[in-house]
Amino acid sequence: MPNLAYAPVQPEPLSARNFARLASVIQEASGIKMPAAKKTMLEGRLRRRVVALGLADLNAYCDYLFEAGDYEAELIHLLNVATTNKTDFFREPAHFDFMTKIALPDLAAQGRRTVKIWSAAASIGAEAYTLAMVMEEFRRTERGLDYTILATDICTDVLAQAAAGRFPKAMIDPVPMELRKRYLLQSRDPAVQDVRIAPSLRAKAAFARLNLMDDHYPVDDDYDFVFCRNILIYFDKPTQERVLANLCRHIRAGGYLVLGHSESAIGVDLPVMAVVNTIFQKV
Ligand SMILES: C[S@@+](CC[C@H](N)C(=O)[O-])C[C@H]1O[C@@H](n2cnc3c(N)ncnc32)[C@H](O)[C@@H]1O
């Protein structure tokens, strides 16, 4: 007879019905597709929330979400769990080269005083702070060109981390050494594993929650650069098209829409023309 006292306790799996309910809510609220292949991933990620709420299992969580709890408040947590927040400093560096070599010199030549940038799926802020470093470097020779950065995301957990401006040391490998010296603060204490963004850079970026699924985005309509990278791939085609059309409403004529390496606006009816791979200019 097996010794049941030592048998590992198998967590109760999410029922197929409850997975379907969660998947449907997640897709409707955030645009993120949740096919059956993602069930194990979602179960794993949700377990911490189940423990935090003191619930028995994932199915009890669904009862809590749909019946017992404050649905709107809990939905924010569910979407935090559903999002994939992978990011890096200087991710897809060709985009920053394009800014430095082509777009920014052009704006400076036009006599522009302020460049407005929106990082529209910002995650923990590596993209926004990369943009701040790029702008600071450009301003070393073009002092007259100031800038603002708005960084938004649906996930409140990543926004809190982004605003704190603290990153694990392992993340700063892609930041060139000179820029690390200028814009990152490293503790002399080897026990401190985090690197901090210099306060002058942090002051340049504002972080806010914004759901790209919303019909209207409460942000300015004259951005010079909208970065919306590595998020459209999680959406279905109609959602991608709707989000792209909405984003374009917030770019000034001549401004740029910058997408992730496997994303495109080609074939979508938008007021943009392709400039180089994954960079589009509003016409
Ligand atoms: C994979 S990260 C990409 C981060 C960064 N743009 C980059 O390329 O490194 C995608 C981000 O999009 C966010 N996201 C997912 N759905 C969203 C939505 N409906 N509205 C706004 N942000 C969303 C996620 O929370 C996540 O932080």
Side-chain angles (χ1 to χ4, degrees):
M1 222 172 106
N3 183 349
L4 292 177
Y6 294 102
V9 179
Q10 290 298 325
E12 182 75 16
L14 195 58
S15 70
R17 174 176 174 265
N18 276 335
F19 174 71
R21 288 163 92 195
L22 290 179
S24 147
V25 162
I26 290 168
Q27 179 155 3
E28 194 181 316
S30 72
I32 299 168
K33 288 177 286 169
M34 253 320 132
K38 289 196 174 174
K39 180 167 183 273
T40 309
M41 181 207 76
L42 185 67
E43 285 175 327
R45 290 183 182 181
L46 260 181
R47 280 205 177 94
R48 263 174 60 191
R49 186 71 193 141
V50 169
V51 171
L53 290 168
L55 296 169
D57 58 33
L58 295 159
N59 295 307
Y61 176 79
C62 288
D63 294 342
Y64 174 83
L65 173 71
F66 293 112
E67 282 136 46
D70 175 347
Y71 178 78
E72 290 303 326
E74 188 50 37
L75 183 60
I76 291 179
H77 291 287
L78 177 62
L79 299 183
N80 283 357
V81 165
T83 56
T84 296
N85 312 112
K86 190 197 159 355
T87 189
D88 277 313
F89 286 97
F90 287 92
R91 186 178 195 181
E92 299 172 41
H95 293 156
F96 307 108
D97 287 346
F98 175 83
M99 279 179 81
T100 305
K101 294 186 182 139
I102 296 173
L104 293 175
D106 190 31
L107 287 173
Q110 290 170 31
R112 284 291 291 284
R113 308 305 293 255
T114 304
V115 174
K116 291 178 69 170
I117 306 171
W118 178 18
S119 165
S123 185
I124 56 174
E127 184 174 274
Y129 291 125
T130 297
L131 287 160
M133 288 187 232
V134 166
M135 289 307 305
E136 291 295 336
E137 284 300 288
F138 191 75
R139 273 159 49 80
R140 285 163 66 81
T141 50
E142 289 287 347
R143 299 293 328 162
L145 196 65
D146 204 353
Y147 67 100
T148 63
I149 296 175
L150 171 68
T152 61
D153 200 285
I154 196 174
C155 175
T156 54
D157 290 343
V158 291
L159 287 169
Q161 207 183 326
R166 282 180 180 274
F167 295 89
K169 260 189 193 144
M171 267 195 80
I172 66 164
D173 288 351
V175 182
M177 195 55 80
E178 243 176 86
L179 272 56
R180 288 187 212 177
K181 287 189 200 139
R182 286 191 197 119
Y183 307 118
L184 303 180
L185 306 175
Q186 295 192 58
S187 171
R188 291 207 180 85
D189 178 354
V192 178
Q193 283 304 307
D194 282 357
V195 173
R196 284 187 302 131
I197 303 291
S200 56
L201 240 67
R202 270 179 58 200
K204 284 295 197 180
F207 295 93
R209 185 172 189 265
L210 185 148
N211 185 351
L212 291 168
M213 289 293 281
D214 288 349
D215 290 335
H216 301 286
Y217 304 154
V219 304
D220 293 344
D221 57 7
D222 59 350
Y223 282 95
D224 295 292
F225 297 93
V226 172
F227 277 67
C228 185
R229 306 190 305 167
N230 303 303
I231 173 59
L232 295 177
I233 38 167
Y234 297 97
F235 298 161
D236 63 21
K237 195 98 181 92
T239 306
Q240 291 178 1
E241 295 186 2
R242 193 156 58 80
V243 169
L244 284 168
N246 277 348
L247 289 171
C248 285
R249 293 194 188 103
H250 296 273
I251 305 173
R252 68 162 183 83
Y256 297 95
L257 173 67
V258 184
L259 304 180
H261 61 94
S262 52
E263 298 162 332
S264 180
I266 290 170
V268 185
D269 184 18
L270 296 171
V272 294
M273 60 179 192
V275 180
V276 290
N277 199 15
T278 63
I279 301 182
F280 300 84
Q281 188 166 30
K282 178 124 176 227
V283 290

